[in-house]
Amino acid sequence: CILNSFNSNNIDSSSEVVDEFTAPMAVTWFFRVVQYVAFRIGIVFSTAFLFFIMTTLVSYILRETQQRMLRFTYLLQHNVTHSRPYMSLVFTHVVESLIFVPIIFGIVFFLFEFYSDRLLAFLVFLVVWAAEIFSVLSARTQTSIYYFPKVFLCYFSLF
């Protein structure tokens, strides 16, 4: 009785059953593709965010440390040549340099949470630190200044 009421509309009941199963599978497949693409875009954004934050903070620390060391050297030379006491200068320099300790610990602990692996996070921090030192000391030509950040970003995205 019920089957005849469906067949009265000239609809084959077997094709209706197939359509009910293929439509959700097509929607499921589409959502899987969208989820995969969104996951990959999230990876690219998180890598870019991590790259720019890490390199900016490490570059800032190195630049500020260099500037403070140059100022300390100049003031120390001035105090020594004029026979002035320099212990207060050394103490002031040490206290001012302690500002960077929380920044470094913050970077490392952020990486610990981001990677969920302490060894990997510490190695990433060391690689970024070494790359920044290399870029400051060795990247002097226009070609190296142009290509080194791009190559390092590709290398960094492997982590």
Side-chain angles (χ1 to χ4, degrees):
C1 292
I2 297 175
L3 189 58
N4 288 336
S5 67
F6 284 117
N7 284 336
S8 65
N9 294 331
N10 294 330
I11 299 175
D12 186 21
S13 63
S14 63
S15 67
E16 189 173 315
V17 170
V18 170
D19 287 340
E20 286 178 4
F21 287 116
T22 57
M25 286 192 304
V27 171
T28 303
W29 178 81
F30 176 73
F31 283 127
R32 284 185 183 170
V33 169
V34 168
Q35 186 179 19
Y36 178 77
V37 169
F39 177 71
R40 292 297 177 182
I41 289 173
I43 287 174
V44 168
F45 282 145
S46 64
T47 302
F49 170 76
L50 199 60
F51 173 76
F52 289 119
I53 293 298
M54 287 288 298
T55 56
T56 301
L57 285 174
V58 171
S59 176
Y60 170 75
I61 290 170
L62 290 175
R63 188 178 42 226
E64 283 294 317
T65 303
Q66 180 184 17
Q67 182 182 9
R68 289 172 192 256
M69 285 301 295
L70 290 173
R71 189 178 67 209
F72 172 72
T73 305
Y74 173 74
L75 291 174
L76 183 64
Q77 180 184 10
H78 178 73
N79 285 357
V80 168
T81 56
H82 290 91
S83 299
R84 293 184 181 167
Y86 55 86
M87 284 308 293
S88 64
L89 180 66
V90 171
F91 180 75
T92 304
H93 176 72
V94 168
V95 169
E96 285 179 354
S97 297
L98 288 176
I99 293 172
F100 300 115
V101 173
I103 295 172
I104 293 171
F105 277 127
I107 293 170
V108 171
F109 285 129
F110 174 75
L111 288 175
F112 286 169
E113 292 297 320
F114 187 82
Y115 285 113
S116 299
D117 184 10
R118 291 186 177 190
L119 180 64
L120 178 64
F122 190 68
L123 290 176
V124 166
F125 180 71
L126 288 179
V127 166
V128 170
W129 194 275
E132 282 295 322
I133 289 174
F134 173 79
S135 71
V136 167
L137 297 178
S138 300
R140 298 288 184 190
T141 64
Q142 288 290 347
T143 307
S144 64
I145 291 171
Y146 180 75
Y147 285 111
F148 181 72
K150 295 175 183 177
V151 170
F152 183 66
L153 175 62
C154 291
Y155 179 69
F156 188 78
S157 64
L158 294 176
F159 289 111

